[in-house]
Amino acid sequence: MYRRNWRCRIHEITLAGLRAIVLENELLRVTVLADKGGDVVEFCHKPRDVDFAWLAPRGLRDPRDVAGGAADDAALFHDQYEGGWQEVFPNGGAPSTYRGAALAQHGEVAGLPWDAVIVDDDPDQVAVRLTVRTRRLPFRLAKTFRLVSGEPTLVLEEELRNESGVDLDAMWGHHIVFGAPFLRPGAKIRMPEGVRVIPHETAINPPERRVREAGPWPMPDGTTDLGVVPEPGTPSDIVYLTGFAEGWYEIADALRVEWDAKVLPYVWMWQELGAWRDYPWWGEAYVVGLEPFSSFPTNGLAEAVENGSALRVPAGGDRTLSLRATVLEER
């Protein structure tokens, strides 16, 4: 089979026994796991040798390897969490039950194999389309990753379809996490004007937390500056950002993420900075998640339905979504 080693190119590899697709152009190399969630496990800016995909300490593991694992709907996600960037659908956060369907942590699509077809393969652009059907709810989700020659941007176009004859609710999000060595103390996080912060109702690592009050970004309580990445050992926390007239953020003057804020009007900001000394982090994680989401909080679909933030998809209906991740020029 003919393969290019210049401009745009695309090829298949195997990682930890899993099928993966590598997309490249002159500036970026992106690796997507077809056999696990369509996860982005590499997003490398070649000129600087900077990979924006954080790798979890335990690394990539085949989700089919479950020997010795106790039954636990939350641990199911952590057992196979390699870091990087996951699709979260149709449940966000904690296990939840919706209309009789039991949904695990961040279930279902992050742990499923996706069908993958290369749809563009020429020097000007490359693209792969991944498709999956959820198993406990009747949805079909497709996403296309694309790189264009000479552009430092990963483009993601998505199509969601309710294949049933009844209206359904869902939580839809992108679990994008940044960590060391890219992420460092003092790095800046920028958001559009008008964004507001909603604290989680309880501390996620009791009794410590960073934010207790709602208020404007980046300092909801007038003292805690969420726009600056803190030092290792700072208390773990999660907050929800809302009020996006435009969906975008920038981190460390290095990467800009853009999305359709009409579909995903929230960003979950998760901070695990080494303070959590027990399972599942053992003090080893130094990460900040900036996760565009349709709904909140991280308590599962049933609560999102109750608070009115769940994404409604009519019978036989479709929803579309686009995201872009662009490496910024050095400032």
Side-chain angles (χ1 to χ4, degrees), residues 17 27 60 63 90 124 132 162 192 200 228 269 305:
L27 301 171
L60 174 61
D124 292 328
V132 72
N162 175 356
H200 192 61
V228 179
M269 185 178 188
V305 171

Side-chain angles (χ1 to χ4, degrees), residues 203-262:
I204 63 171
N205 187 18
E208 296 183 290
R209 63 189 311 181
R210 296 192 68 207
V211 180
R212 299 175 184 270
E213 301 176 14
W217 169 271
M219 300 177 68
D221 60 4
T223 59
T224 302
D225 190 349
L226 294 173
V228 179
V229 177
E231 295 290 329
T234 302
S236 310
D237 211 343
I238 186 168
V239 299
Y240 311 99
L241 311 180
T242 188
F244 287 88
E246 298 178 299
W248 65 266
Y249 62 75
E250 294 179 357
I251 182 166
D253 290 328
L255 189 72
R256 180 182 176 94
V257 177
E258 301 170 89
W259 69 94
D260 185 350
K262 293 180 180 179

